[in-house]
Amino acid sequence: MPELKHAGDEPPSPAEKTLFKRYEISYLLGYGAFAKVYYARDAHNKEHVAIKVINKQKIIKGGLTANVKREISIMRQLRHPNIVRLREVLANKKKIYFVLEYARGGELFAKVAKSRFSEHLSRRYFQQLISVVGYCHSRGVFHRDLKLENLLLDEKWKLKVTDFGLSAVTNQIRNDGLLHTVCGTPAYVAPEILLKNGYDGAKVDIWSCGIILFALNSGYLPFNDSNLMVMYRKILTGEFRIPQWTSPELKRLLSRLLDTNPVTRITVDEILKDPWFKIGYEEVEFHHDYLELKDNRSDTSSSTGDELKPYLKAMNAFDIITFSSGYDLSGLFDDREDRERFLSQDSPEKIIETVVAVAEGVGLTVVVKKEWCVKVVGGYKCNFEMVVEVKRLTDELVVVEVRVRESEVETGNRMWKDKVKPGLSGLVYETGPAG
Ligand code: AMP
């Protein structure tokens, strides 16, 4: 078994202790190939979350922006009780933050590293894993990097698969050499990947599930050797020894999962019918609310096929902010007193008309009004001044920037915050957590 990773005790920098005035960061949970993961609490509802922090520069330098964008939109829509839920994606100038459901029970890896599981327990986790894999495959999503380290547990010891959708990105970062020092063990790699003749994502995931089931039952990995070439040879020839305590039914299933020929390797449908697998298996009920997305973006062009269209439609504003080029939106998260920006799906005309109506309603006077911009003044000696500017971001979204000036800052802030801003709330494009 490879060495167990330990969560370090590195504290977050003081500036990062509360993210976006919402997430109170406590301590480092662990780190993966391209990210640090912190434990945090949502100040709004006191929920526990895990926040995965990624350095934006690494993504941009690696030319991976499009991949990340796609993977996020997929991951946001995967809803399965055994998949770590991606609640929200946030970003500032330097970093991207994935706000994830918190898996309190830690890594399954840590549990099995202590002692191997009984067949009964191995089956329980394997059933949950196959339920996830079947769910994702039927939606055209493949993990491609399933391994024990990606299997977490919640407080009730229920399986939570993480990194579904992000793994392709992780792999590419590794290949890019940016993070060569953390190159993972190839012990889970399917033979067809080593042969480099192209591969089927579904078959590769099944192979990895076989490695995981083997490891749960035996406490070690089937193909492991300090010499990489020897390990590769063992994988290619399917050279592994099933421990003697294994039942004949499980032995049979393991040899079907770890079939070096992807064509004859067992499929998810066949696994579901397997006598060893079937014992006590309860099918999971899924939420199908991903089909009822409010967001009706028409741009679903992608090479991923029809299956993924609902997911791709779900690109939310944060994703756009994170990855828009040519227009620095990082300021959206600045806390400057004199400037606020929000996203809207309304037309510039409607936005300007609303601003005018609200401003006049609270006794302000319009001094400049253009198609995309309006300036209003008011108060004693016209000390209060507000400029609202609309900028197009995408076909459906605009950014509304509000600049407020007043010689007496407090009065000005009150005018904006208490009187004008509430009147504009109907224009704001609500992103909110994906829940
Ligand atoms: P990753 O980058 O996904 O490999 O995460 C690195 C480590 O952080 C994992 O091995 C876990 O120990 C921890 N971790 C990641 N995501 C979560 C989560 N949602 N809940 C709890 N711990 C997590």
Side-chain angles (χ1 to χ4, degrees):
M1 259 273 148
E3 284 266 299
L4 195 64
K5 277 183 289 175
H6 288 284
D9 54 359
E10 182 189 324
S13 70
E16 285 183 341
K17 269 189 176 157
T18 301
L19 275 174
F20 306 105
K21 293 183 178 166
R22 177 155 186 184
Y23 297 106
E24 294 155 357
I25 302 224
S26 294
Y27 52 87
L28 190 69
L29 280 168
Y31 38 88
F34 69 125
K36 283 185 177 173
V37 184
Y38 293 95
Y39 165 76
R41 246 164 61 126
D42 184 338
H44 287 188
N45 54 23
K46 306 289 173 218
E47 275 176 21
H48 308 279
V49 293
I51 301 193
K52 188 177 265 200
V53 187
I54 299 173
N55 188 326
K56 223 164 158 180
Q57 225 27 49
K58 280 184 184 152
I59 303 280
I60 294 165
K61 269 194 196 154
L64 298 170
T65 308
N67 301 49
V68 176
K69 202 159 73 173
R70 178 177 166 267
E71 303 291 358
I72 289 172
S73 53
I74 293 167
M75 205 178 158
R76 284 177 61 86
Q77 299 311 314
L78 292 178
R79 283 185 201 193
H80 184 288
N82 299 114
I83 297 182
V84 167
R85 182 102 179 85
L86 176 62
R87 290 167 43 132
E88 187 166 31
V89 183
L90 301 167
N92 61 20
K93 232 175 209 147
K94 291 191 177 149
K95 288 170 182 164
I96 303 169
Y97 303 86
F98 293 91
V99 182
L100 300 160
E101 173 190 0
Y102 174 55
R104 193 192 292 264
E107 297 179 12
L108 187 64
F109 184 64
K111 308 271 186 284
V112 77
K114 276 192 202 142
S115 78
R116 70 178 177 87
F117 288 178
S118 66
E119 254 187 51
H120 173 73
L121 198 57
S122 303
R123 176 165 38 227
R124 241 180 61 194
Y125 287 118
F126 185 68
Q127 286 171 338
Q128 296 173 64
L129 178 62
I130 291 301
S131 175
V132 167
V133 167
Y135 167 83
C136 293
H137 287 184
S138 65
R139 283 152 182 84
V141 180
F142 309 101
H143 194 295
R144 288 170 286 196
D145 196 23
L146 278 171
K147 53 188 175 189
L148 274 173
E149 292 88 329
N150 284 332
L151 307 185
L152 304 177
L153 299 173
D154 72 3
E155 64 281 3
K156 293 179 187 147
W157 279 58
K158 201 165 83 180
L159 192 76
K160 294 278 171 181
V161 182
T162 175
D163 269 2
F164 229 111
L166 287 177
S167 51
V169 177
T170 323
N171 288 341
Q172 283 175 64
I173 290 177
R174 285 175 190 166
N175 295 343
D176 189 53
L178 284 164
L179 284 152
H180 51 278
T181 50
V182 286
C183 220
T185 167
Y188 295 80
V189 171
E192 61 268 31
I193 293 186
L194 297 177
L195 292 172
K196 296 197 171 89
N197 290 332
Y199 62 88
D200 172 344
K203 297 283 182 172
V204 162
D205 279 351
I206 295 290
W207 174 274
S208 311
C209 289
I211 304 276
I212 290 167
L213 178 59
F214 185 105
L216 295 178
N217 173 62
S218 55
Y220 55 87
L221 293 163
F223 308 106
N224 211 0
D225 201 291
S226 52
N227 181 327
L228 207 61
M229 282 303 131
V230 175
M231 193 196 290
Y232 284 169
R233 188 182 43 90
K234 285 182 177 172
I235 293 172
L236 285 168
T237 55
E239 209 182 305
F240 63 93
R241 284 232 313 269
I242 301 178
Q244 31 83 9
W245 57 76
T246 313
S247 70
E249 295 79 16
L250 177 53
K251 271 187 189 158
R252 195 188 152 274
L253 177 59
L254 281 170
S255 49
R256 296 260 9 245
L257 289 159
L258 297 175
D259 179 349
T260 51
N261 181 353
V263 179
T264 48
R265 191 175 304 150
I266 195 166
T267 62
V268 170
D269 286 343
E270 287 167 339
I271 295 172
L272 294 173
K273 289 183 202 133
D274 180 86
W276 183 88
F277 177 89
K278 273 200 320 198
I279 298 172
Y281 181 61
E282 284 169 27
E283 275 204 36
V284 170
E285 286 206 6
F286 306 122
H287 308 276
H288 285 293
D289 44 356
Y290 68 91
L291 291 170
E292 294 157 24
L293 296 164
K294 274 187 266 164
D295 189 337
N296 284 322
R297 285 171 57 81
S298 54
D299 176 18
T300 54
S301 56
S302 152
S303 57
T304 49
D306 285 351
E307 273 295 338
L308 282 177
K309 281 186 178 170
Y311 307 121
L312 295 171
K313 276 184 190 169
M315 280 286 294
N316 86 348
F318 279 116
D319 304 338
I320 296 162
I321 292 157
T322 310
F323 301 108
S324 353
S325 56
Y327 182 30
D328 183 12
L329 277 163
S330 51
L332 273 168
F333 302 106
D334 284 351
D335 292 328
R336 287 184 56 166
E337 287 293 312
D338 66 335
R339 186 169 305 201
E340 278 194 38
R341 298 186 183 97
F342 62 88
L343 293 168
S344 178
Q345 279 188 305
D346 290 311
S347 67
E349 189 190 13
K350 181 178 169 194
I351 292 163
I352 298 295
E353 286 310 326
T354 310
V355 172
V356 168
V358 171
E360 287 180 343
V362 297
L364 299 171
T365 310
V366 175
V367 287
V368 178
K369 185 180 161 209
K370 293 184 184 161
E371 199 186 338
W372 294 80
C373 176
V374 61
K375 180 175 175 179
V376 299
V377 296
Y380 179 64
K381 290 187 183 169
C382 295
N383 276 346
F384 178 82
E385 191 181 297
M386 179 177 83
V387 177
V388 179
E389 213 177 326
V390 184
K391 295 168 187 175
R392 179 146 303 283
L393 181 59
T394 69
D395 284 351
E396 291 93 0
L397 282 172
V398 295
V399 179
V400 183
E401 184 173 286
V402 183
R403 292 194 300 275
V404 171
R405 222 168 289 144
E406 225 267 354
S407 53
E408 221 186 293
V409 175
E410 223 179 274
T411 331
N413 272 343
R414 274 209 305 275
M415 169 63 86
W416 159 241
K417 287 207 167 108
D418 300 341
K419 296 189 174 171
V420 181
K421 193 174 175 180
L424 305 183
S425 61
L427 299 172
V428 179
Y429 174 70
E430 288 289 346
T431 54

